[in-house]
Amino acid sequence: MKELTAHFFSLGMLLLVTGFGPGLQAQLPDKFNDELVGSGWPSVVGITFDNNGRIYAWAKQGLVLTAENGVLHPAPLLDIQEECANWGDHGLLGFALHPNFLSNGYFYVMYAVDRHHLLYHGTSQYDPSANITHQASIGRVVRYTADAASDFKTVVPGSRHVLIGQTIQSGLPLLHGSHGVGTLAFGKDGTLLISMGDGGSYAGTDVGGDEAGAYAAQALEDGIITEKQNVGAFRAQQVQSLNGKILRIDPNTGAGLPSNPFFDPADPFAPQSRVWAMGLRNPYRFTIQPETGSHNPEDGDPGVLWIGDVGWAYWEEINRADRGGLNFGWPVYEGLRTRWQYHGRPTRNPEAPNPFAWTNGCLQDFFYFQDLLQEDTEQASPFFPNPCDQTLSIPSDLHTFTHTRPRVAWSNIEWNTEEQDTHVPGFDDDGQAIIHSLKDPGSPVAGEMFTGKCSVGGVWVEGNNWPEAYQHRLYGGDFTGWFRGLSFDDNQQLDSVAAFFTQASNVVDMKLNPVDGCLYYVEYAFLSDVRRICFGGNPAPTAIIEADKHYGPGPLEVNFSARNSFDPQGEPLSYLWDFGDGVTSTDTVVSHLFASVNGQPRPWLVSLTVMDTAGNRHADYLTISVDNTPPVVSISSFEDGATYPMSGVTELPLKAEAADNEQDAASLEYGWQIFFHHNTHNHPEPIDPSPETVAYLFPEGCGEEEYWYRIRVTVRDAGGLEAYDERELFPFCGGPLVEFDTIEASATEELVRLQWSTLSEWPGSVFTVERSVDKIRFEPVGSVNAAGSASGYQLEDRDPVYGSAHYRVKAMLPDGRVDFSPLAQASFPGVEGIRVQPVPMEEVLRVVFEEVVNKAEFRVFGLDGRLLRSFSWADSGQKREYELRLSDLPSGLYLYEATDGRSRYAGKLLKQ
């Protein structure tokens, strides 16, 4: 229950969100109404319904909640906060009820697993209050059974059944702060469908290794991915990877289905046996079109999927999957265009060996991903030429694909209005793919151009709850808060798009309630709101409290008004005030005197309930604090507008000065929250209730997209009053503050020795050597003062950690700015006789022997034992150093074997 304390803290700070005002109601078509269902639901990211209309809501931190009539039950149905990883975009994001839930009680959750839990649960090293963030982990799909005897409000003990992710090697790979688990949904045939992101980094072009900020090296070492899967975002193009896919499994066993397009009868649990569709970046939400699909799993037809794929820096998508085996193109394509960062970077697919390599001078031993994927055409069977001989086709036993283009793609480019557009696919007279723009007056699609930030898929509306003109449509949504009605022709090509509602915010899920026929949606926040859009009926009114003051010395007279409360249909309202001290009122405008209690701060909870003529009610709440004033708080550990370096992870202390006139500062409650901003939206981290803590700032923000951090501290006193301070930090995108030349870490049987040199440095700087086992959290080892010019330095770690550790040098300038050296790695205790540098290796590898007798050799092997490179030197003497150029080796993990003429050494190499 790692985050529960923070939620209780935040609940005390809640300012309840009320319904939209009358002016905003007009944004919906006539006789449609938008109304609040429930407010302040802790970090809820999704909802669904059983056949009785009960709401099941799941929260990012690892809770499954139930609600009746918008009121949450006091105890969660499921609490896996201890196991769930709640950082970045990760958490419990997928949930589904079995089609026969009210008979068998089966429900399914999909979540990111906390790395500490993943590695240590069940061992003496496990701490239930600990977690590890910003490192490699996995996603899990797990089935539980709700107990019918408790009206499905509790879980049957011992019913936990893991379908995917039983071990660290069999989970859904998570290698960065996003692009992870997504949606769970049941097909018409009773199979379970799963959306999974590419697991790659959004901070750069990720083609494997750690270069773009992914945790590939760690995932390789753990077995989370294989060496063949160390291709970054291109995992979305690998049949033998779970990343970037829609998966389809047996909901009882977790195995793939024989009717899946790449099913392997010899291994039903292999990734390719589970894959249904591929080529997706972050398919966070998808829906299944009603009245499609077969009841028989053997037919391979679970129904038509409509998939919202979250884009990178240009395009958001809605894709249609009407059969298995489709490839939606990422990362070679985004939207209806190629993504030049990946399309223009030929990358080997280790699953696709080229049988014609090493012939006719062709050195391409594996096909590139770009060789195996072509743009869509009207031609039934396009020709895929072998790059070693353009007259030959790529062998038929390898998987080749054509790009299944999105049905609609809209721009997320907020910073360049000229490039904003909405695209739909088409073909020219020669059957070649073309793009239609909704800005073009001749567009085949009726409707105006629109933009957004993050596709959240949509919901289909069928049935008779809405007028005919609004049925048989997909209501697509975007995180920015709009819903648009998309209608399709008989070929399922988009023929019109129309704005439906544009006044929501932070939308993360949309569902159609089978009982009332209303469209429900979740507005995500630390305390989320659930709202619904219904046609007709008599929606509830909205209560809004206004007050001329919220605190002051007692006795305190406060003037209240309910004049801004409203009924969507204009019906007259009745009012009931409750001032929390036994006094009530039915007036629209009222004054109330709040008593002092011995001069001690005292909060009074005031409620206003409004009711229309049909008996529909709604309440608003406000806290009045008597004999109290708000605290004062100011962040003291960094300045607003400070910068962070691009050379390494920055550990930023978070401290604040807080005071309160009525209460001791030690009694104040704190809440620190980090917001990682990405272009026009942000990714909030969980609230940390510690008075002092740390933030880890990652080196992102100097590329094509904008990234920066905002950090807020909120302080609340015992009387219910609060204050906050927040500051922003921006990436430093200039040149290096200190120019490092070399850094080496060498281990002996007693210590680790750090040696480094600089090409330029600032006089008065201080160099601190820092050590880390995870490349995120660093601890100081020792410091030396800068010499004032380009110099060489040495420092010894006399108390090193056993095993592998990473070292860096932090340079602190006289003005407080910092910069970091590259990382150096050492394994303690050291092996005498040989050093291999740098690790991870780059284009050039240095091999240093302490002494060579007659001959030195160095050989590089693949993980399968295949010899890849061999070097030898006829030499003798003390301390010989050799340089090896390995630029032609792809990124990945390798083995080496070396001899100095007397002894033989072995180890691992990682190439970024």
Side-chain angles (χ1 to χ4, degrees):
M1 302 177 69
K2 290 175 283 193
E3 310 300 340
L4 202 54
T5 302
H7 279 295
F8 285 154
F9 169 78
S10 189
L11 283 169
M13 302 192 303
L14 173 63
L15 292 177
L16 290 175
V17 179
T18 57
F20 292 122
L24 299 184
Q25 287 285 325
Q27 296 295 326
L28 279 166
D30 187 37
K31 296 185 180 180
F32 281 92
N33 303 288
D34 173 71
E35 59 183 332
L36 184 70
V37 175
S39 185
W41 293 11
S43 297
V44 162
V45 292
I47 56 171
T48 192
F49 310 90
D50 65 20
N51 290 334
N52 294 326
R54 175 186 287 173
I55 295 177
Y56 294 78
W58 55 101
K60 186 173 180 287
Q61 68 272 23
L63 296 172
V64 177
L65 312 168
T66 57
E68 308 277 1
N69 300 317
V71 179
L72 290 174
H73 292 140
L77 170 63
L78 180 70
D79 183 347
I80 55 170
Q81 293 183 92
E82 188 178 308
E83 181 183 355
C84 184
N86 179 23
W87 60 272
D89 286 345
H90 298 311
L92 196 171
L93 302 184
F95 177 89
L97 299 175
H98 192 279
N100 297 322
F101 170 73
L102 294 178
S103 299
N104 59 29
Y106 290 164
F107 67 91
Y108 300 75
V109 290
M110 180 165 59
Y111 56 93
V113 182
D114 175 69
R115 181 172 172 83
H116 179 83
H117 191 282
L118 180 67
L119 296 179
Y120 303 118
H121 185 257
T123 73
S124 59
Q125 297 174 272
Y126 182 66
D127 178 355
S129 64
N131 56 24
I132 298 176
T133 65
H134 299 91
Q135 295 190 37
S137 190
I138 65 170
R140 277 187 177 140
V141 178
V142 181
R143 187 187 75 193
Y144 287 89
T145 304
D147 192 349
S150 67
D151 191 25
F152 303 103
K153 294 177 183 176
T154 62
V155 170
V156 174
S159 65
R160 181 178 184 266
H161 176 45
V162 181
L163 298 174
I164 297 179
Q166 295 91 337
T167 67
I168 193 171
Q169 295 84 13
S170 64
L172 301 163
L174 306 175
L175 277 71
H176 201 244
S178 187
H179 301 197
V181 300
T183 293
L184 293 177
F186 274 89
K188 189 173 183 178
D189 57 5
T191 61
L192 183 61
L193 293 132
I194 300 163
S195 66
M196 178 64 195
D198 65 15
S201 169
Y202 50 70
T205 305
D206 185 358
V207 295
D210 294 353
E211 180 181 357
Y215 320 128
Q218 188 180 56
L220 277 170
E221 185 175 347
D222 293 339
I224 292 173
I225 60 172
T226 66
E227 177 53 39
K228 288 184 177 181
Q229 295 165 351
N230 185 21
V231 292
F234 280 107
R235 281 187 295 274
Q237 288 295 318
Q238 288 185 316
V239 171
Q240 296 175 20
S241 169
L242 297 172
N243 285 112
K245 307 294 192 300
I246 300 294
L247 309 174
R248 178 172 173 258
I249 65 171
D250 183 323
N252 296 313
T253 66
L257 281 299
S259 53
N260 282 350
F262 312 111
F263 182 77
D264 180 1
D267 191 355
F269 293 91
Q272 62 267 30
S273 293
R274 291 164 159 168
V275 170
W276 181 250
M278 58 192 293
L280 295 159
R281 180 177 182 266
N282 187 12
Y284 169 66
R285 290 288 182 244
F286 72 88
T287 191
I288 300 177
Q289 185 174 343
E291 302 177 10
T292 63
S294 164
H295 288 289
N296 185 356
E298 296 180 2
D299 292 340
D301 185 9
V304 175
L305 278 64
W306 293 87
I307 308 162
D309 198 13
V310 179
W312 194 9
Y314 288 93
W315 299 102
E316 305 296 321
E317 301 178 7
I318 290 181
N319 295 282
R320 181 179 186 268
D322 60 353
R323 61 190 184 279
L326 298 181
N327 189 321
F328 295 101
W330 174 261
V332 180
Y333 295 90
E334 183 185 57
L336 281 82
R337 292 177 173 172
T338 56
R339 196 64 165 101
W340 62 266
Q341 291 91 336
Y342 288 99
H343 185 269
R345 188 164 177 173
T347 304
R348 297 162 71 250
N349 183 350
E351 296 178 356
N354 185 354
F356 294 96
W358 318 114
T359 61
N360 300 323
C362 180
L363 303 181
Q364 189 175 330
D365 54 349
F366 287 86
F367 292 111
Y368 297 141
F369 288 102
Q370 292 85 348
D371 297 329
L372 304 169
L373 178 65
Q374 293 185 10
E375 183 55 283
D376 187 20
T377 69
E378 288 186 310
Q379 180 181 352
S381 301
F383 178 72
F384 286 83
N386 191 311
C388 288
D389 187 337
Q390 295 289 319
T391 66
L392 299 175
S393 175
I394 290 176
S396 59
D397 60 343
L398 295 179
H399 297 293
T400 57
F401 302 94
T402 56
H403 175 209
T404 300
R405 295 184 292 170
R407 287 298 189 262
V408 61
W410 59 95
S411 168
N412 59 25
I413 305 174
E414 296 289 338
W415 59 92
N416 188 336
T417 56
E418 291 184 1
E419 293 190 33
Q420 292 178 351
D421 207 344
T422 308
H423 288 169
V424 294
F427 295 104
D428 63 16
D429 294 339
D430 296 325
Q432 301 301 306
I434 60 173
I435 298 172
H436 296 293
S437 166
L438 262 63
K439 292 195 296 186
D440 185 348
S443 168
V445 176
E448 297 180 352
M449 184 270 291
F450 57 91
T451 63
K453 294 178 184 177
C454 176
S455 174
V456 291
V459 295
W460 272 89
V461 172
E462 302 286 355
N464 299 316
N465 291 294
W466 289 18
E468 176 65 27
Y470 296 93
Q471 296 177 31
H472 319 300
R473 290 187 179 189
L474 176 70
Y475 287 84
D478 189 273
F479 179 79
T480 53
W482 56 250
F483 305 140
R484 281 178 161 78
L486 284 71
S487 63
F488 298 84
D489 61 22
D490 293 340
N491 295 319
Q492 295 304 308
Q493 299 298 322
L494 185 68
D495 61 14
S496 71
V497 56
F500 178 70
F501 185 52
T502 59
Q503 296 295 337
S505 63
N506 297 353
V507 175
V508 293
D509 196 27
M510 306 163 62
K511 290 290 192 307
L512 204 66
N513 187 326
V515 174
D516 63 18
C518 298
L519 190 163
Y520 285 64
Y521 63 96
V522 178
E523 293 186 317
Y524 175 73
F526 195 71
L527 295 169
S528 300
D529 286 347
V530 176
R531 306 185 66 91
R532 67 182 177 186
I533 296 173
C534 304
F535 177 77
N538 188 2
T542 296
I544 299 176
I545 295 177
E546 291 185 297
D548 66 346
K549 58 182 73 73
H550 296 255
Y551 61 88
L556 179 67
E557 185 175 26
V558 181
N559 298 310
F560 296 96
S561 172
R563 286 173 175 166
N564 280 337
S565 302
F566 66 93
D567 183 84
Q569 295 184 316
E571 294 184 6
L573 298 175
S574 59
Y575 307 92
L576 177 61
W577 295 91
D578 187 333
F579 300 105
D581 55 4
V583 178
T584 61
S585 173
T586 58
D587 294 333
T588 305
V589 177
V590 61
S591 296
H592 186 72
L593 188 68
F594 293 91
S596 177
V597 182
N598 301 321
Q600 297 299 312
R602 166 67 191 270
W604 299 92
L605 183 63
V606 177
S607 68
L608 167 66
T609 302
V610 298
M611 183 173 66
D612 64 16
T613 56
N616 297 310
R617 302 168 183 262
H618 180 250
D620 191 14
Y621 301 88
L622 183 67
T623 296
I624 302 296
S625 193
V626 179
D627 290 319
N628 197 18
T629 57
V632 177
V633 61
S634 176
I635 294 173
S636 58
S637 55
F638 65 94
E639 296 295 327
D640 188 32
T643 61
Y644 55 92
M646 294 291 98
S647 51
V649 178
T650 302
E651 183 175 321
L652 179 71
L654 299 183
K655 298 181 182 179
E657 300 296 327
D660 190 272
N661 290 335
E662 294 79 26
Q663 296 158 69
D664 188 272
S667 67
L668 299 175
E669 294 180 334
Y670 285 75
W672 290 93
Q673 191 165 25
I674 301 167
F675 301 87
F676 181 48
H677 285 260
H678 175 199
N679 292 336
T680 54
H681 64 280
N682 67 77
H683 304 257
E685 293 288 341
I687 287 178
D688 185 339
S690 306
E692 294 185 9
T693 185
V694 295
Y696 296 98
L697 311 181
F698 291 83
E700 296 171 350
C702 294
E704 184 176 351
E705 300 187 71
E706 294 183 344
Y707 296 93
W708 73 96
Y709 287 90
R710 174 167 53 94
I711 298 177
R712 171 184 289 196
V713 61
T714 304
V715 176
R716 180 174 181 266
D717 66 21
L721 296 182
E722 64 183 48
Y724 75 89
D725 186 25
E726 67 177 22
R727 301 184 180 187
E728 294 182 310
L729 299 106
F730 299 93
F732 178 75
C733 298
L737 303 176
V738 174
E739 190 174 0
F740 288 91
D741 184 19
T742 63
I743 176 171
E744 297 179 356
S746 57
T748 70
E749 293 185 353
E750 297 179 350
L751 53 83
V752 174
R753 181 176 292 108
L754 273 295
Q755 295 176 294
W756 71 96
S757 62
T758 64
L759 296 174
S760 64
E761 59 190 53
W762 288 69
S765 299
V766 175
F767 293 113
T768 300
V769 172
E770 299 181 324
R771 180 185 65 215
S772 174
V773 295
D774 61 10
K775 297 194 290 187
I776 297 175
R777 297 161 181 83
F778 286 84
E779 58 181 344
V781 172
S783 299
V784 297
N785 292 323
S789 60
S791 304
Y793 301 88
Q794 178 174 302
L795 191 143
E796 294 177 346
D797 181 2
R798 294 187 169 274
D799 187 24
V801 297
Y802 280 84
S804 180
H806 301 272
Y807 291 85
R808 71 182 183 186
V809 179
K810 180 174 76 173
M812 178 169 284
L813 277 60
D815 61 6
R817 290 182 294 170
V818 298
D819 207 350
F820 299 102
S821 73
L823 295 179
Q825 188 177 22
S827 294
F828 178 80
V831 178
E832 297 290 346
I834 185 174
R835 281 185 289 147
V836 179
Q837 302 165 331
V839 179
M841 65 177 174
E842 298 168 351
E843 300 301 314
V844 177
L845 186 72
R846 293 194 306 277
V847 181
V848 182
F849 292 101
E850 293 300 321
E851 183 179 5
V852 172
V853 179
N854 297 326
K855 185 178 181 181
E857 292 182 292
F858 192 89
R859 297 193 293 172
V860 181
F861 300 86
L863 293 180
D864 57 1
R866 184 163 55 102
L867 178 64
L868 301 177
R869 301 289 184 274
S870 179
F871 307 89
S872 63
W873 304 271
D875 204 351
S876 287
Q878 299 288 325
K879 199 157 192 176
R880 290 293 190 255
E881 179 175 332
Y882 308 99
E883 286 192 351
L884 286 62
R885 291 203 168 269
L886 300 171
S887 56
D888 57 335
L889 284 180
S891 300
L893 189 66
Y894 300 89
L895 306 176
Y896 74 79
E897 184 180 71
T899 178
D900 58 11
R902 294 180 305 182
S903 302
R904 190 167 298 276
Y905 312 96
K908 293 181 179 179
L909 296 172
L910 177 66
K911 186 173 188 297
Q912 290 186 334

